[in-house]
């Protein structure tokens, strides 16, 4: 990953354009490699998304995924990390059944100390995006109040300063324990 962060404010138009570019890349990889594709973004509230801390969190996600794939003996066809102004994102293409990858990445999101900050999407070349319900896993919970995360997000139940405070505590605790 490049070391230079933008630390710039992101507009809604930039977020939407980035989402479209990510979807195009996901589809291109599905077509090109014809195997499972993983797309990783961060749960990062606020309008500054490309920071030294967000890149550090993505680095841990990439390291954790690489270890997981190695442990399962899954061959990685392609891996790429990008750092647009809208925040770091990573892409993986690997030879493993999408449903199995979804199981282990969901477990990683749920058990890793930083996993709540990772949004790991798994795509099957035949059926597209796999949802948690497809593998009979519960929806993600809010890391502040433990309600369904999508409800809190949609209702804007928690303020950005409140969310960022929890993220700062979570990351400080994790990275200080790693030293």
């Amino acid at each position: 990953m490049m070391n230079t962060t933008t630390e710039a404010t992101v507009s809604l138009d930039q977020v939407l354009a980035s989402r479209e570019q990510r979807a195009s890349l996901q589809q291109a990889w599905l077509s090109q490699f014809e195997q499972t594709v993983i797309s990783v973004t961060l749960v990062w509230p606020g309008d500054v998304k490309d920071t030294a801390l967000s890149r550090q969190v993505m680095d841990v996600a990439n390291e954790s995924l690489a270890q997981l794939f190695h442990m399962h003996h899954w061959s990685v066809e392609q891996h790429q990390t990008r750092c647009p102004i809208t925040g770091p994102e990573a892409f993986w293409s690997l030879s493993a059944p999408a449903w199995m990858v979804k199981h282990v990445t969901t477990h990683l999101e749920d058990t890793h100390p930083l996993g709540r900050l990772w949004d790991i999407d798994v795509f099957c070349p035949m059926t597209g995006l796999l949802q948690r319900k497809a593998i009979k896993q519960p929806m993600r919970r809010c890391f502040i109040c433990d309600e369904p995360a999508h409800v809190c997000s949609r209702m804007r139940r928690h303020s950005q300063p409140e969310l960022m405070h929890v993220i700062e505590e979570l990351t400080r605790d994790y990275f200080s324990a790693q030293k």
Side-chain angles (χ1 to χ4, degrees):
M1 231 187 261
M2 293 177 51
N3 291 333
T4 310
T5 59
T6 57
E7 300 274 341
T9 301
V10 177
S11 71
L12 178 59
D13 286 342
Q14 289 170 312
V15 170
L16 295 175
S18 181
R19 190 174 293 162
E20 284 182 31
Q21 291 171 354
R22 191 167 45 255
S24 292
L25 183 62
Q26 292 159 352
Q27 289 307 310
W29 280 35
L30 284 167
S31 296
Q32 179 181 355
F33 301 114
E34 297 179 347
Q35 57 186 20
T36 301
V37 170
I38 295 102
S39 176
V40 186
T41 56
L42 300 180
V43 177
W44 210 262
D47 24 338
V48 178
K49 310 237 183 236
D50 183 27
T51 67
L53 183 58
S54 67
R55 287 185 183 205
Q56 216 178 347
V57 170
M58 181 57 79
D59 286 344
V60 175
N62 277 325
E63 290 167 16
S64 299
L65 286 167
Q67 289 171 0
L68 190 67
F69 301 154
H70 178 76
M71 183 178 74
H72 286 279
H73 306 287
W74 292 336
S75 173
V76 174
E77 180 74 28
Q78 181 84 6
H79 173 238
Q80 179 184 8
T81 301
R82 305 184 324 174
C83 293
I85 191 172
T86 52
E89 44 191 45
F91 304 90
W92 300 77
S93 177
L94 58 141
S95 59
W99 66 270
M100 194 179 296
V101 174
K102 184 65 177 176
H103 269 288
V104 299
T105 58
T106 297
H107 182 73
L108 185 64
E109 284 176 333
D110 292 343
T111 60
H112 191 283
L114 296 180
R116 185 56 197 93
L117 302 180
W118 305 334
D119 187 8
I120 305 172
D121 289 334
V122 177
F123 297 85
C124 171
M126 304 301 284
T127 60
L129 178 65
L130 285 178
Q131 301 285 343
R132 281 175 168 243
K133 66 183 174 185
I135 59 162
K136 301 187 180 352
Q137 291 297 308
M139 298 167 77
R140 294 185 83 167
R141 310 304 290 178
C142 173
F143 52 82
I144 292 180
C145 70
D146 207 36
E147 290 297 315
H150 74 281
V151 173
C152 288
S153 177
R154 197 170 292 137
M155 294 181 69
R156 298 182 185 262
R157 188 171 281 158
H158 310 289
S159 69
Q160 285 184 6
E162 184 181 14
L163 292 165
M164 285 312 297
H165 176 74
V166 170
I167 288 171
E168 287 166 4
E169 281 185 347
L170 182 71
T171 54
R172 183 183 57 241
D173 290 349
Y174 177 79
F175 290 114
S176 65
Q178 301 304 304
K179 294 179 180 176

